[in-house]
Amino acid sequence: VQLQASGGGLVQAGGSLRLSCAASGRTFSTNVMGWFRQAPGKEREFVAAISWSGGMTNYRDSVKGRFTISRDNAKNTLYLEMNFLKPEDTAVYYCAADKNPRRTYIEANYYSRGLYDYWGQGTQVTVSS
């Protein structure tokens, strides 16, 4: 099982990036998935999560209204659209998936790293001021 994150890069403040996370080895179409990020010297933190259908999403307060998480279950791919980027968004971004296909979004502690069993390798996002 592999999660492959891509789409990071260097962008000026106010710019946009779209991250992708392609899953292989098994389907995650019924699993909760999320994005986390880790800045230098800081702990990995929750960014956004999405239910299996895409009907429920949650975000950390600092990215609400700027970031959008989505998924395409037919392609087994997770996305994070990031707009109006700020220097404080600079971090390595990781996608993650819960291995339990029966755990509902409401049951899941989607903001907790402990929920997620599979992690991508990370993609660097750097926002210059």
Side-chain angles (χ1 to χ4, degrees), residues 93-104:
Y93 283 71
Y94 298 89
C95 57
D98 177 12
K99 72 176 181 181
N100 186 347
R102 295 183 180 85
R103 195 189 336 262
T104 66

Side-chain angles (χ1 to χ4, degrees), residues 53-127:
S53 68
M56 288 184 283
T57 59
N58 286 86
Y59 301 89
R60 70 180 300 107
D61 287 345
S62 62
V63 308
K64 285 180 181 177
R66 300 188 298 121
F67 290 12
T68 303
I69 187 171
S70 62
R71 63 192 298 167
D72 185 335
N73 288 334
K75 296 182 178 179
N76 219 18
T77 302
L78 178 72
Y79 303 99
L80 185 67
E81 183 76 32
M82 305 186 294
N83 298 312
F84 304 107
L85 283 160
K86 303 176 180 180
E88 51 263 43
D89 295 319
T90 295
V92 177
Y93 283 71
Y94 298 89
C95 57
D98 177 12
K99 72 176 181 181
N100 186 347
R102 295 183 180 85
R103 195 189 336 262
T104 66
Y105 192 75
I106 293 176
E107 293 172 338
N109 293 328
Y110 50 79
Y111 51 83
S112 170
R113 288 177 293 174
L115 171 71
Y116 301 94
D117 305 284
Y118 301 112
W119 292 85
Q121 85 288 2
T123 184
Q124 176 70 48
V125 172
T126 303
V127 184

Side-chain angles (χ1 to χ4, degrees), residues 1-4 21-28 75-77 118:
V1 177
Q2 186 176 17
L3 299 179
Q4 183 71 38
C21 175
S24 60
R26 59 164 284 182
T27 179
F28 290 98
K75 296 182 178 179
N76 219 18
T77 302
Y118 301 112

